[in-house]
Short mmCIF file of all heavy atoms in Angstrom, two decimals:
data_model
loop_
_atom_site.label_atom_id
_atom_site.label_comp_id
_atom_site.label_asym_id
_atom_site.label_seq_id
_atom_site.Cartn_x
_atom_site.Cartn_y
_atom_site.Cartn_z
N MET P 1 110.23 95.43 44.62
CA MET P 1 110.07 95.36 43.20
C MET P 1 110.84 96.47 42.59
O MET P 1 110.80 97.62 42.98
CB MET P 1 108.54 95.44 42.81
CG MET P 1 108.31 95.16 41.35
SD MET P 1 106.55 95.20 40.92
CE MET P 1 105.83 94.05 42.04
N SER P 2 111.65 96.22 41.48
CA SER P 2 112.47 97.23 40.91
C SER P 2 111.62 98.18 40.08
O SER P 2 110.46 97.92 39.73
CB SER P 2 113.54 96.57 39.98
OG SER P 2 112.88 96.07 38.81
N ASP P 3 112.18 99.35 39.74
CA ASP P 3 111.40 100.30 38.93
C ASP P 3 111.10 99.78 37.57
O ASP P 3 109.99 99.98 37.04
CB ASP P 3 112.26 101.60 38.74
CG ASP P 3 112.33 102.45 40.00
OD1 ASP P 3 111.44 102.26 40.91
OD2 ASP P 3 113.24 103.32 40.13
N GLU P 4 111.98 98.97 37.02
CA GLU P 4 111.74 98.34 35.74
C GLU P 4 110.53 97.43 35.80
O GLU P 4 109.64 97.42 34.90
CB GLU P 4 112.98 97.59 35.24
CG GLU P 4 112.75 96.88 33.87
CD GLU P 4 113.98 96.11 33.45
OE1 GLU P 4 115.08 96.50 33.73
OE2 GLU P 4 113.76 95.02 32.78
N GLN P 5 110.44 96.62 36.82
CA GLN P 5 109.32 95.68 37.04
C GLN P 5 107.97 96.48 37.22
O GLN P 5 106.93 96.10 36.74
CB GLN P 5 109.50 94.77 38.23
CG GLN P 5 110.58 93.73 37.85
CD GLN P 5 110.87 92.90 39.09
OE1 GLN P 5 110.96 93.39 40.21
NE2 GLN P 5 110.96 91.62 38.92
N GLN P 6 108.12 97.63 37.93
CA GLN P 6 106.87 98.40 38.19
C GLN P 6 106.40 99.11 36.90
O GLN P 6 105.18 99.27 36.66
CB GLN P 6 107.10 99.49 39.20
CG GLN P 6 107.26 98.92 40.59
CD GLN P 6 107.60 100.00 41.62
OE1 GLN P 6 107.86 101.15 41.29
NE2 GLN P 6 107.53 99.63 42.91
N ASP P 7 107.27 99.43 36.00
CA ASP P 7 106.92 100.15 34.72
C ASP P 7 106.61 99.14 33.66
O ASP P 7 105.94 99.55 32.63
CB ASP P 7 108.07 100.98 34.26
CG ASP P 7 108.36 102.19 35.22
OD1 ASP P 7 107.44 102.54 35.94
OD2 ASP P 7 109.46 102.69 35.16
N ARG P 8 106.89 97.91 33.81
CA ARG P 8 106.56 96.95 32.71
C ARG P 8 105.10 96.71 32.48
O ARG P 8 104.37 96.74 33.46
CB ARG P 8 107.26 95.53 33.13
CG ARG P 8 107.01 94.50 32.16
CD ARG P 8 107.88 93.30 32.34
NE ARG P 8 108.84 93.19 31.28
CZ ARG P 8 109.75 92.41 31.18
NH1 ARG P 8 110.05 91.55 32.13
NH2 ARG P 8 110.56 92.35 30.15
N ARG P 9 104.78 96.56 31.23
CA ARG P 9 103.36 96.29 30.86
C ARG P 9 103.20 94.80 30.67
O ARG P 9 104.06 94.11 30.13
CB ARG P 9 102.98 97.04 29.57
CG ARG P 9 103.14 98.53 29.65
CD ARG P 9 102.22 99.29 30.60
NE ARG P 9 100.88 99.18 30.03
CZ ARG P 9 99.77 99.59 30.69
NH1 ARG P 9 99.92 100.07 31.88
NH2 ARG P 9 98.55 99.47 30.12
N TYR P 10 102.05 94.30 31.13
CA TYR P 10 101.75 92.89 31.02
C TYR P 10 100.46 92.71 30.28
O TYR P 10 99.66 93.68 30.09
CB TYR P 10 101.61 92.28 32.38
CG TYR P 10 102.92 92.18 33.15
CD1 TYR P 10 103.32 93.27 33.99
CD2 TYR P 10 103.77 91.08 33.04
CE1 TYR P 10 104.47 93.19 34.67
CE2 TYR P 10 104.93 91.03 33.72
CZ TYR P 10 105.29 92.07 34.57
OH TYR P 10 106.47 92.01 35.24
N GLN P 11 100.23 91.51 29.79
CA GLN P 11 98.92 91.17 29.18
C GLN P 11 98.45 89.88 29.81
O GLN P 11 99.23 89.04 30.25
CB GLN P 11 99.05 91.12 27.67
CG GLN P 11 100.02 90.04 27.20
CD GLN P 11 100.17 89.99 25.69
OE1 GLN P 11 99.20 90.24 25.00
NE2 GLN P 11 101.30 89.74 25.12
N VAL P 12 97.17 89.66 29.85
CA VAL P 12 96.54 88.46 30.32
C VAL P 12 96.50 87.58 29.13
O VAL P 12 96.07 87.86 28.03
CB VAL P 12 95.08 88.72 30.84
CG1 VAL P 12 94.42 87.40 31.25
CG2 VAL P 12 95.14 89.71 32.01
N VAL P 13 96.96 86.30 29.35
CA VAL P 13 96.98 85.28 28.29
C VAL P 13 96.34 84.04 28.81
O VAL P 13 96.11 83.82 30.01
CB VAL P 13 98.45 84.95 27.93
CG1 VAL P 13 99.11 86.17 27.27
CG2 VAL P 13 99.28 84.46 29.00
N LEU P 14 95.87 83.25 27.84
CA LEU P 14 95.26 81.95 28.22
C LEU P 14 95.52 80.93 27.21
O LEU P 14 95.86 81.21 26.02
CB LEU P 14 93.76 82.06 28.51
CG LEU P 14 92.79 82.24 27.34
CD1 LEU P 14 91.47 81.71 27.77
CD2 LEU P 14 92.63 83.72 27.09
N ASN P 15 95.51 79.64 27.57
CA ASN P 15 95.81 78.58 26.66
C ASN P 15 94.49 77.87 26.25
O ASN P 15 93.43 78.23 26.69
CB ASN P 15 96.80 77.62 27.30
CG ASN P 15 96.32 76.91 28.58
OD1 ASN P 15 95.09 76.84 28.77
ND2 ASN P 15 97.25 76.45 29.38
N ASP P 16 94.63 76.82 25.49
CA ASP P 16 93.49 76.08 24.98
C ASP P 16 92.70 75.40 26.11
O ASP P 16 91.54 75.02 25.93
CB ASP P 16 93.87 75.07 23.97
CG ASP P 16 94.37 75.69 22.65
OD1 ASP P 16 94.03 76.87 22.39
OD2 ASP P 16 95.13 75.06 21.93
N GLU P 17 93.27 75.25 27.28
CA GLU P 17 92.61 74.61 28.43
C GLU P 17 91.96 75.64 29.31
O GLU P 17 91.51 75.37 30.33
CB GLU P 17 93.60 73.77 29.27
CG GLU P 17 94.08 72.47 28.59
CD GLU P 17 92.94 71.40 28.66
OE1 GLU P 17 91.95 71.59 29.41
OE2 GLU P 17 93.12 70.41 27.98
N GLU P 18 91.97 76.93 28.79
CA GLU P 18 91.40 78.03 29.52
C GLU P 18 92.02 78.33 30.84
O GLU P 18 91.36 78.69 31.81
CB GLU P 18 89.86 77.93 29.54
CG GLU P 18 89.16 77.96 28.27
CD GLU P 18 87.67 77.89 28.31
OE1 GLU P 18 87.02 77.79 29.39
OE2 GLU P 18 87.01 78.01 27.23
N GLN P 19 93.33 78.16 30.89
CA GLN P 19 94.15 78.41 32.04
C GLN P 19 94.79 79.84 31.80
O GLN P 19 95.32 80.06 30.74
CB GLN P 19 95.15 77.42 32.30
CG GLN P 19 94.61 76.04 32.62
CD GLN P 19 95.60 74.90 32.54
OE1 GLN P 19 96.32 74.79 31.64
NE2 GLN P 19 95.65 74.16 33.65
N TYR P 20 94.76 80.70 32.77
CA TYR P 20 95.21 82.07 32.62
C TYR P 20 96.57 82.25 33.20
O TYR P 20 97.00 81.60 34.14
CB TYR P 20 94.23 82.99 33.36
CG TYR P 20 92.97 83.18 32.64
CD1 TYR P 20 91.90 82.21 32.75
CD2 TYR P 20 92.69 84.27 31.84
CE1 TYR P 20 90.70 82.40 32.08
CE2 TYR P 20 91.48 84.41 31.14
CZ TYR P 20 90.50 83.48 31.33
OH TYR P 20 89.30 83.65 30.64
N SER P 21 97.27 83.25 32.72
CA SER P 21 98.52 83.77 33.23
C SER P 21 98.70 85.16 32.73
O SER P 21 97.92 85.73 32.04
CB SER P 21 99.65 82.81 32.66
OG SER P 21 100.90 83.14 33.32
N ILE P 22 99.88 85.76 33.18
CA ILE P 22 100.21 87.03 32.68
C ILE P 22 101.59 86.89 31.97
O ILE P 22 102.38 85.98 32.26
CB ILE P 22 100.37 88.16 33.79
CG1 ILE P 22 101.40 87.79 34.79
CG2 ILE P 22 99.03 88.33 34.46
CD1 ILE P 22 101.69 88.95 35.78
N TRP P 23 101.84 87.79 30.99
CA TRP P 23 102.97 87.70 30.19
C TRP P 23 103.44 89.08 29.86
O TRP P 23 102.56 90.03 29.61
CB TRP P 23 102.69 86.89 28.87
CG TRP P 23 103.94 86.55 28.14
CD1 TRP P 23 104.35 87.08 27.03
CD2 TRP P 23 104.80 85.42 28.45
NE1 TRP P 23 105.52 86.40 26.57
CE2 TRP P 23 105.81 85.40 27.46
CE3 TRP P 23 104.84 84.52 29.46
CZ2 TRP P 23 106.84 84.49 27.50
CZ3 TRP P 23 105.88 83.55 29.50
CH2 TRP P 23 106.85 83.63 28.56
N ALA P 24 104.72 89.36 29.84
CA ALA P 24 105.20 90.70 29.46
C ALA P 24 104.70 91.05 28.10
O ALA P 24 104.82 90.32 27.19
CB ALA P 24 106.75 90.76 29.53
N ALA P 25 104.09 92.27 28.01
CA ALA P 25 103.47 92.66 26.78
C ALA P 25 104.44 92.90 25.58
O ALA P 25 104.06 92.77 24.45
CB ALA P 25 102.73 93.96 27.00
N ASP P 26 105.74 93.09 25.92
CA ASP P 26 106.72 93.35 24.89
C ASP P 26 107.40 92.06 24.45
O ASP P 26 108.30 92.17 23.57
CB ASP P 26 107.72 94.38 25.38
CG ASP P 26 108.48 93.99 26.51
OD1 ASP P 26 108.09 92.96 27.24
OD2 ASP P 26 109.51 94.59 26.87
N ARG P 27 107.00 90.87 24.91
CA ARG P 27 107.59 89.61 24.52
C ARG P 27 106.62 88.82 23.66
O ARG P 27 105.36 88.95 23.88
CB ARG P 27 107.93 88.84 25.74
CG ARG P 27 109.04 89.55 26.58
CD ARG P 27 109.43 88.72 27.74
NE ARG P 27 110.08 87.46 27.35
CZ ARG P 27 110.22 86.41 28.06
NH1 ARG P 27 109.76 86.45 29.32
NH2 ARG P 27 110.75 85.34 27.60
N ASP P 28 107.14 88.03 22.73
CA ASP P 28 106.28 87.08 22.01
C ASP P 28 105.67 86.12 22.89
O ASP P 28 106.32 85.63 23.89
CB ASP P 28 107.09 86.41 20.91
CG ASP P 28 107.67 87.34 19.83
OD1 ASP P 28 107.00 88.33 19.63
OD2 ASP P 28 108.69 87.01 19.23
N LEU P 29 104.46 85.73 22.60
CA LEU P 29 103.76 84.74 23.45
C LEU P 29 104.34 83.41 23.20
O LEU P 29 104.74 82.98 22.06
CB LEU P 29 102.32 84.70 23.07
CG LEU P 29 101.48 85.97 23.49
CD1 LEU P 29 100.05 85.81 23.02
CD2 LEU P 29 101.60 86.27 24.96
N PRO P 30 104.39 82.53 24.21
CA PRO P 30 104.92 81.18 24.07
C PRO P 30 103.83 80.33 23.30
O PRO P 30 102.68 80.72 23.23
CB PRO P 30 105.06 80.68 25.45
CG PRO P 30 104.17 81.53 26.28
CD PRO P 30 104.07 82.81 25.65
N ALA P 31 104.33 79.29 22.61
CA ALA P 31 103.43 78.44 21.87
C ALA P 31 102.31 77.95 22.73
O ALA P 31 102.49 77.59 23.92
CB ALA P 31 104.17 77.26 21.34
N GLY P 32 101.05 77.97 22.21
CA GLY P 32 99.86 77.42 22.96
C GLY P 32 99.22 78.53 23.76
O GLY P 32 98.18 78.17 24.31
N TRP P 33 99.62 79.73 23.76
CA TRP P 33 99.01 80.75 24.54
C TRP P 33 98.58 81.88 23.59
O TRP P 33 99.19 82.16 22.59
CB TRP P 33 99.94 81.35 25.59
CG TRP P 33 100.31 80.33 26.61
CD1 TRP P 33 101.22 79.37 26.58
CD2 TRP P 33 99.65 80.21 27.88
NE1 TRP P 33 101.27 78.61 27.79
CE2 TRP P 33 100.33 79.18 28.57
CE3 TRP P 33 98.61 80.90 28.53
CZ2 TRP P 33 99.88 78.74 29.84
CZ3 TRP P 33 98.25 80.51 29.80
CH2 TRP P 33 98.85 79.44 30.47
N HIS P 34 97.47 82.53 23.96
CA HIS P 34 96.98 83.71 23.15
C HIS P 34 96.50 84.78 24.13
O HIS P 34 96.13 84.54 25.28
CB HIS P 34 95.94 83.29 22.12
CG HIS P 34 94.68 82.73 22.72
ND1 HIS P 34 94.59 81.43 23.04
CD2 HIS P 34 93.51 83.29 23.07
CE1 HIS P 34 93.42 81.17 23.53
NE2 HIS P 34 92.68 82.29 23.57
N ALA P 35 96.49 86.01 23.60
CA ALA P 35 96.12 87.20 24.44
C ALA P 35 94.61 87.13 24.65
O ALA P 35 93.84 86.91 23.74
CB ALA P 35 96.53 88.45 23.66
N GLU P 36 94.25 87.46 25.85
CA GLU P 36 92.88 87.51 26.29
C GLU P 36 92.26 88.91 25.94
O GLU P 36 91.09 89.02 25.75
CB GLU P 36 92.78 87.23 27.80
CG GLU P 36 91.42 87.38 28.47
CD GLU P 36 91.23 88.77 29.10
OE1 GLU P 36 92.14 89.62 29.07
OE2 GLU P 36 90.07 89.01 29.60
N GLY P 37 93.12 89.93 25.92
CA GLY P 37 92.68 91.31 25.58
C GLY P 37 92.96 92.32 26.59
O GLY P 37 92.77 93.51 26.35
N THR P 38 93.37 91.95 27.86
CA THR P 38 93.65 92.87 28.88
C THR P 38 95.10 93.14 28.92
O THR P 38 95.92 92.22 28.91
CB THR P 38 93.19 92.32 30.24
OG1 THR P 38 91.76 92.06 30.17
CG2 THR P 38 93.42 93.27 31.37
N GLU P 39 95.45 94.40 29.00
CA GLU P 39 96.91 94.77 29.17
C GLU P 39 96.97 95.89 30.21
O GLU P 39 96.11 96.71 30.23
CB GLU P 39 97.42 95.29 27.79
CG GLU P 39 98.95 95.54 27.84
CD GLU P 39 99.51 95.89 26.45
OE1 GLU P 39 99.12 95.22 25.54
OE2 GLU P 39 100.34 96.84 26.46
N GLY P 40 97.99 95.87 31.01
CA GLY P 40 98.18 96.82 32.03
C GLY P 40 99.25 96.52 32.96
O GLY P 40 100.22 95.76 32.57
N THR P 41 99.26 97.04 34.15
CA THR P 41 100.27 96.67 35.17
C THR P 41 100.07 95.22 35.60
O THR P 41 99.06 94.63 35.34
CB THR P 41 100.15 97.54 36.42
OG1 THR P 41 98.86 97.35 37.05
CG2 THR P 41 100.24 99.10 36.06
N ARG P 42 101.05 94.74 36.31
CA ARG P 42 100.95 93.40 36.86
C ARG P 42 99.69 93.20 37.73
O ARG P 42 98.98 92.24 37.55
CB ARG P 42 102.28 93.08 37.64
CG ARG P 42 102.30 91.66 38.13
CD ARG P 42 103.70 91.47 38.86
NE ARG P 42 103.84 90.07 39.18
CZ ARG P 42 103.34 89.48 40.41
NH1 ARG P 42 102.74 90.30 41.27
NH2 ARG P 42 103.57 88.24 40.58
N GLU P 43 99.52 94.20 38.54
CA GLU P 43 98.37 94.19 39.50
C GLU P 43 97.04 94.22 38.76
O GLU P 43 96.11 93.45 39.08
CB GLU P 43 98.46 95.32 40.54
CG GLU P 43 99.56 95.17 41.49
CD GLU P 43 100.96 95.48 40.91
OE1 GLU P 43 101.04 96.20 39.88
OE2 GLU P 43 101.99 94.99 41.42
N GLU P 44 96.93 95.03 37.66
CA GLU P 44 95.73 95.08 36.91
C GLU P 44 95.42 93.77 36.23
O GLU P 44 94.25 93.28 36.20
CB GLU P 44 95.83 96.25 35.88
CG GLU P 44 95.77 97.60 36.50
CD GLU P 44 96.20 98.71 35.47
OE1 GLU P 44 96.95 98.42 34.52
OE2 GLU P 44 95.73 99.84 35.75
N CYS P 45 96.45 93.16 35.71
CA CYS P 45 96.29 91.92 34.96
C CYS P 45 95.88 90.76 35.94
O CYS P 45 95.03 89.95 35.65
CB CYS P 45 97.56 91.51 34.15
SG CYS P 45 97.82 92.59 32.74
N LEU P 46 96.52 90.73 37.09
CA LEU P 46 96.21 89.76 38.11
C LEU P 46 94.77 89.90 38.62
O LEU P 46 93.99 89.03 38.88
CB LEU P 46 97.21 89.73 39.26
CG LEU P 46 98.58 89.29 38.90
CD1 LEU P 46 99.58 89.44 40.06
CD2 LEU P 46 98.60 87.81 38.39
N ALA P 47 94.35 91.20 38.71
CA ALA P 47 92.97 91.45 39.17
C ALA P 47 91.97 90.96 38.11
O ALA P 47 90.96 90.40 38.40
CB ALA P 47 92.77 92.98 39.42
N ARG P 48 92.32 91.17 36.81
CA ARG P 48 91.43 90.61 35.78
C ARG P 48 91.32 89.14 35.83
O ARG P 48 90.21 88.54 35.70
CB ARG P 48 91.96 91.11 34.44
CG ARG P 48 91.23 90.56 33.24
CD ARG P 48 89.80 91.00 33.16
NE ARG P 48 89.21 90.42 31.96
CZ ARG P 48 87.92 90.28 31.83
NH1 ARG P 48 87.09 90.70 32.78
NH2 ARG P 48 87.42 89.67 30.69
N ILE P 49 92.43 88.46 35.98
CA ILE P 49 92.43 87.02 36.10
C ILE P 49 91.51 86.54 37.29
O ILE P 49 90.73 85.63 37.23
CB ILE P 49 93.83 86.43 36.25
CG1 ILE P 49 94.57 86.65 34.90
CG2 ILE P 49 93.84 84.97 36.61
CD1 ILE P 49 96.03 86.29 34.92
N ASN P 50 91.68 87.29 38.39
CA ASN P 50 90.90 86.97 39.61
C ASN P 50 89.40 87.07 39.36
O ASN P 50 88.59 86.36 39.84
CB ASN P 50 91.28 87.82 40.72
CG ASN P 50 90.74 87.36 42.04
OD1 ASN P 50 90.83 86.18 42.35
ND2 ASN P 50 90.25 88.28 42.85
N GLU P 51 89.02 88.06 38.42
CA GLU P 51 87.60 88.22 38.07
C GLU P 51 87.02 87.10 37.22
O GLU P 51 85.94 86.66 37.36
CB GLU P 51 87.42 89.52 37.28
CG GLU P 51 87.59 90.81 38.07
CD GLU P 51 87.50 92.00 37.16
OE1 GLU P 51 87.05 91.91 35.98
OE2 GLU P 51 87.95 93.07 37.60
N VAL P 52 87.87 86.67 36.18
CA VAL P 52 87.30 85.78 35.20
C VAL P 52 87.64 84.33 35.35
O VAL P 52 86.94 83.44 34.87
CB VAL P 52 87.79 86.20 33.80
CG1 VAL P 52 87.24 87.59 33.43
CG2 VAL P 52 89.31 86.15 33.66
N TRP P 53 88.67 83.97 36.16
CA TRP P 53 89.02 82.58 36.24
C TRP P 53 88.45 82.02 37.55
O TRP P 53 89.09 81.93 38.59
CB TRP P 53 90.62 82.44 36.25
CG TRP P 53 91.10 81.07 35.99
CD1 TRP P 53 90.39 79.99 35.57
CD2 TRP P 53 92.45 80.66 36.14
NE1 TRP P 53 91.17 78.88 35.41
CE2 TRP P 53 92.48 79.25 35.79
CE3 TRP P 53 93.59 81.22 36.47
CZ2 TRP P 53 93.65 78.51 35.70
CZ3 TRP P 53 94.78 80.49 36.57
CH2 TRP P 53 94.77 79.12 36.14
N VAL P 54 87.20 81.67 37.46
CA VAL P 54 86.44 81.19 38.64
C VAL P 54 86.50 79.70 38.82
O VAL P 54 86.24 79.23 39.99
CB VAL P 54 84.98 81.67 38.56
CG1 VAL P 54 84.94 83.20 38.66
CG2 VAL P 54 84.24 81.19 37.36
N ASP P 55 86.85 78.93 37.81
CA ASP P 55 86.95 77.53 37.93
C ASP P 55 88.31 77.14 37.42
O ASP P 55 88.60 77.19 36.23
CB ASP P 55 85.87 76.79 37.07
CG ASP P 55 85.75 75.31 37.27
OD1 ASP P 55 86.75 74.76 37.81
OD2 ASP P 55 84.78 74.72 36.94
N MET P 56 89.19 76.76 38.32
CA MET P 56 90.54 76.46 37.97
C MET P 56 90.85 75.17 37.21
O MET P 56 91.90 74.92 36.73
CB MET P 56 91.46 76.47 39.26
CG MET P 56 91.43 77.76 39.99
SD MET P 56 92.78 78.73 39.39
CE MET P 56 92.52 80.23 40.34
N ARG P 57 89.84 74.35 37.16
CA ARG P 57 90.00 73.11 36.39
C ARG P 57 90.17 73.33 34.94
O ARG P 57 89.56 74.22 34.35
CB ARG P 57 88.78 72.20 36.59
CG ARG P 57 88.46 71.78 37.99
CD ARG P 57 87.19 70.96 38.14
NE ARG P 57 86.12 71.79 37.65
CZ ARG P 57 84.88 71.35 37.29
NH1 ARG P 57 84.63 70.02 37.46
NH2 ARG P 57 83.94 72.15 36.95
N PRO P 58 91.13 72.57 34.37
CA PRO P 58 91.33 72.67 32.92
C PRO P 58 90.00 72.34 32.14
O PRO P 58 89.15 71.65 32.62
CB PRO P 58 92.35 71.66 32.53
CG PRO P 58 93.05 71.29 33.85
CD PRO P 58 91.94 71.55 34.87
N LEU P 59 89.86 72.96 30.94
CA LEU P 59 88.67 72.81 30.13
C LEU P 59 88.32 71.36 29.91
O LEU P 59 87.23 70.89 30.01
CB LEU P 59 88.81 73.49 28.83
CG LEU P 59 87.67 73.41 27.84
CD1 LEU P 59 86.39 73.98 28.45
CD2 LEU P 59 87.98 74.10 26.51
N SER P 60 89.36 70.53 29.56
CA SER P 60 89.13 69.13 29.31
C SER P 60 88.54 68.40 30.49
O SER P 60 87.65 67.56 30.34
CB SER P 60 90.45 68.43 28.85
OG SER P 60 91.45 68.57 29.82
N LEU P 61 89.02 68.69 31.64
CA LEU P 61 88.44 68.08 32.90
C LEU P 61 87.04 68.51 33.12
O LEU P 61 86.15 67.75 33.46
CB LEU P 61 89.30 68.43 34.12
CG LEU P 61 88.89 67.82 35.43
CD1 LEU P 61 88.80 66.35 35.36
CD2 LEU P 61 89.78 68.31 36.57
N ARG P 62 86.74 69.83 32.99
CA ARG P 62 85.34 70.34 33.09
C ARG P 62 84.39 69.67 32.14
O ARG P 62 83.28 69.30 32.45
CB ARG P 62 85.35 71.86 32.92
CG ARG P 62 86.05 72.58 34.05
CD ARG P 62 85.74 74.10 34.06
NE ARG P 62 85.69 74.72 32.73
CZ ARG P 62 86.73 75.43 32.18
NH1 ARG P 62 87.90 75.52 32.82
NH2 ARG P 62 86.55 75.97 31.02
N SER P 63 84.86 69.52 30.92
CA SER P 63 84.03 68.89 29.82
C SER P 63 83.71 67.47 30.18
O SER P 63 82.57 66.97 30.09
CB SER P 63 84.78 68.92 28.49
OG SER P 63 84.91 70.25 28.09
N ARG P 64 84.71 66.66 30.66
CA ARG P 64 84.49 65.32 31.04
C ARG P 64 83.52 65.20 32.24
O ARG P 64 82.66 64.35 32.25
CB ARG P 64 85.82 64.63 31.46
CG ARG P 64 86.56 64.06 30.22
CD ARG P 64 87.71 63.28 30.73
NE ARG P 64 88.62 64.29 31.32
CZ ARG P 64 89.93 64.20 31.35
NH1 ARG P 64 90.53 63.22 30.81
NH2 ARG P 64 90.63 65.18 31.88
N ALA P 65 83.64 66.13 33.21
CA ALA P 65 82.73 66.15 34.34
C ALA P 65 81.32 66.38 33.83
O ALA P 65 80.36 65.85 34.34
CB ALA P 65 83.23 67.16 35.39
N ASP P 66 81.18 67.38 32.90
CA ASP P 66 79.84 67.68 32.39
C ASP P 66 79.25 66.47 31.69
O ASP P 66 78.04 66.22 31.80
CB ASP P 66 79.94 68.91 31.48
CG ASP P 66 80.22 70.16 32.21
OD1 ASP P 66 80.13 70.26 33.41
OD2 ASP P 66 80.57 71.17 31.52
N GLN P 67 80.07 65.74 30.89
CA GLN P 67 79.57 64.61 30.21
C GLN P 67 79.15 63.50 31.14
O GLN P 67 78.17 62.78 30.98
CB GLN P 67 80.62 64.06 29.26
CG GLN P 67 80.87 64.97 28.03
CD GLN P 67 82.02 64.50 27.17
OE1 GLN P 67 82.73 63.61 27.54
NE2 GLN P 67 82.25 65.20 26.04
N SER P 68 79.92 63.32 32.19
CA SER P 68 79.53 62.29 33.26
C SER P 68 78.27 62.62 33.98
O SER P 68 77.51 61.69 34.29
CB SER P 68 80.68 62.15 34.21
OG SER P 68 81.86 61.70 33.61
N ALA P 69 78.03 63.90 34.20
CA ALA P 69 76.84 64.36 34.86
C ALA P 69 75.56 64.22 33.97
O ALA P 69 74.46 64.11 34.50
CB ALA P 69 77.00 65.77 35.33
N ALA P 70 75.76 64.22 32.69
CA ALA P 70 74.60 64.20 31.79
C ALA P 70 74.00 62.81 31.64
O ALA P 70 74.46 61.81 31.90
CB ALA P 70 75.02 64.65 30.40
#
């Protein structure tokens, strides 16, 4: 990993389907994504995602499964 990559700040982002990713903090977010609130190194952001993203299914799929179970 280059020095520039090690020094780069990232933020945790998620979309309307509650899918997570990381994005360079100094870049505009792509359409459909918003900041989750965590910013730090790549490793810190990935650790945060690992903590909070426990169900990888998109929100729409989880909602349909919940409706089917009811």
Side-chain angles (χ1 to χ4, degrees):
M1 190 178 304
S2 73
D3 288 340
E4 180 181 327
Q5 288 174 318
Q6 289 178 350
D7 293 338
R8 178 169 247 173
R9 301 293 291 174
Y10 292 89
Q11 60 182 325
V12 176
V13 297
L14 70 154
N15 63 21
D16 292 338
E17 287 285 347
E18 296 183 356
Q19 296 169 308
Y20 287 81
S21 188
I22 63 171
W23 194 255
D26 61 345
R27 296 183 63 199
D28 291 336
L29 294 178
W33 293 84
H34 60 275
E36 174 265 357
T38 302
E39 187 174 317
T41 65
R42 182 177 189 274
E43 291 76 21
E44 290 168 335
C45 290
L46 291 174
R48 174 66 179 154
I49 291 171
N50 194 45
E51 288 174 16
V52 297
W53 198 10
V54 295
D55 189 340
M56 299 269 178
R57 297 176 299 165
L59 178 61
S60 57
L61 180 59
R62 293 191 320 261
S63 297
R64 275 186 294 213
D66 290 345
Q67 289 173 353
S68 295

